[in-house]
Amino acid sequence: SQQGEEDPQALSIQEGENATMNCSYKTSINNLQWYRQNSGRGLVHLILIRSNEREKHSGRLRVTLDTSKKSSSLLITASRAADTASYFCATDATSGYSTLTFGKGTMLLVSP
Amino acid sequence: DTAVSQTPKYLVTQMGNDKSIKCEQNLGHDTMYWYKQDSKKFLKIMFSYNNKELIINETVPNRFSPKSPDKAHLNLHINSLELGDSAVYFCASSRKGGSYNEQFFGPGTRLTVL
C-alpha cells in the first residue's frame, strides 16, 4: 500500500517565494527521504532525515519530521525557476536493505 | 561518467512482444532496483537485488523477469507485453548495509505498448 502522501498535489509560486510541501505516512519508519524529479528525468536525492531527527538543512532546503504525527515537510526558500520539478517523499521502514515507498509527489512550478 | 544508465530511453512495441531493458551502474553499489512509474507519476518498487541475489519481489506478474549477471547490472525482461505495461521504468542503485542510504536513479525507459 502507498506510504507517503504529499500535499499539495501542485504548487505554483513566483521566484523568490518560499515553497512548502508536506508528506504524511502511515507506518513507523527508519528514515524519510525527499527526491526531486525534473520532467522526463530520473529522481535525484535531495535530503534524508532519520527517525530520531526533527529538522535538517541543506542549502536552501529545510526538512522537518514529526514522527508522532507521521508527517514531514520540505521547505525550499528563495525559490528559483530551476526548482520547477516534482518532489517526492519516500519512507524507508526496513533495516538492512533500503526499501523506499514513494508518495505521489508535489508538482512545483516556479515562475520567473 | 554516468552513474546509473538505462537503455533504451524509449521503447515502442506491439502487444504480445517480448522486450528487455538494460541497466548498469558504475558506483560500486551492491543493491539495485527496478521501479515502475505510471501515468499519474506514482512510483512503485518492482524488484530489488543485492549482490546478484533477489531481495524483494513485489506483486509483479511473472511476465517480468529481472536478471542480474553481476552486481553492476540489472536487466528487466518482459514477456507478452500488455497495454497496461505502458509506463516509465526506472532502475536505481544504493550501497549495501544499513537503511540510511540514498538511491541513485537512472534516467528512465519510457515503454509504450500499442
Side-chain angles (χ1 to χ4, degrees):
Chain A
S1 62
Q2 186 179 325
Q3 174 75 307
E5 292 270 356
E6 286 90 343
D7 167 55
Q9 286 187 315
L11 181 60
S12 182
I13 59 174
Q14 299 289 320
E15 260 191 333
E17 294 180 340
N18 296 342
T20 299
M21 288 160 269
N22 302 299
C23 169
S24 59
Y25 57 92
K26 295 174 184 168
T27 64
S28 297
I29 60 171
N30 284 322
N31 67 78
L32 185 144
Q33 303 179 30
W34 284 90
Y35 287 78
R36 184 187 73 224
Q37 183 180 31
N38 288 83
S39 181
R41 301 284 189 92
L43 281 76
V44 174
H45 181 265
L46 294 175
I47 197 164
L48 180 154
I49 186 165
R50 300 185 182 204
S51 59
N52 60 355
E53 296 176 313
R54 291 297 166 257
E55 189 171 311
K56 204 161 183 180
H57 296 254
S58 176
R60 293 183 296 112
L61 305 180
R62 172 178 168 250
V63 168
T64 62
L65 179 64
D66 187 335
T67 52
S68 66
K69 294 181 180 177
K70 292 188 168 56
S71 68
S72 173
S73 68
L74 171 68
L75 168 67
I76 305 174
T77 60
S79 63
R80 306 166 182 167
D83 294 328
T84 294
S86 291
Y87 291 81
F88 295 85
C89 71
T91 53
D92 191 343
T94 59
S95 58
Y97 300 105
S98 174
T99 306
L100 297 179
T101 304
F102 285 84
K104 290 183 178 178
T106 292
M107 195 176 305
L108 173 66
L109 174 63
V110 182
S111 302
Chain B
D1 58 352
T2 304
V4 183
S5 60
Q6 296 178 230
T7 54
K9 189 168 174 60
Y10 299 97
L11 187 52
V12 181
T13 188
Q14 299 287 330
M15 259 186 2
N17 283 350
D18 303 338
K19 291 293 178 186
S20 292
I21 307 171
K22 296 186 176 182
C23 177
E24 176 181 3
Q25 54 94 5
N26 62 4
L27 298 166
H29 289 166
D30 290 305
T31 308
M32 296 184 72
Y33 314 82
W34 277 109
Y35 288 88
K36 179 181 179 180
Q37 187 174 44
D38 63 23
S39 58
K40 296 183 179 178
K41 290 206 165 185
F42 180 48
L43 197 68
K44 186 170 167 55
I45 182 79
M46 298 174 69
F47 301 102
S48 170
Y49 268 73
N50 178 262
N51 237 344
K52 303 193 297 177
E53 290 187 20
L54 181 65
I55 302 298
I56 294 167
N57 181 356
E58 290 294 312
T59 308
V60 177
N62 58 14
R63 298 182 295 105
F64 290 78
S65 52
K67 283 190 171 53
S68 182
D70 54 63
K71 64 179 189 179
H73 295 84
L74 181 62
N75 303 323
L76 184 64
H77 188 76
I78 316 170
N79 289 328
S80 303
L81 278 156
E82 301 177 355
L83 293 176
D85 298 332
S86 294
V88 182
Y89 292 84
F90 288 98
C91 176
S93 71
S94 69
R95 283 187 293 121
K96 179 201 166 186
S99 57
Y100 302 110
N101 295 320
E102 65 183 277
Q103 293 187 12
F104 291 79
F105 282 76
T109 295
R110 182 174 293 276
L111 171 65
T112 303
V113 182
L114 303 174

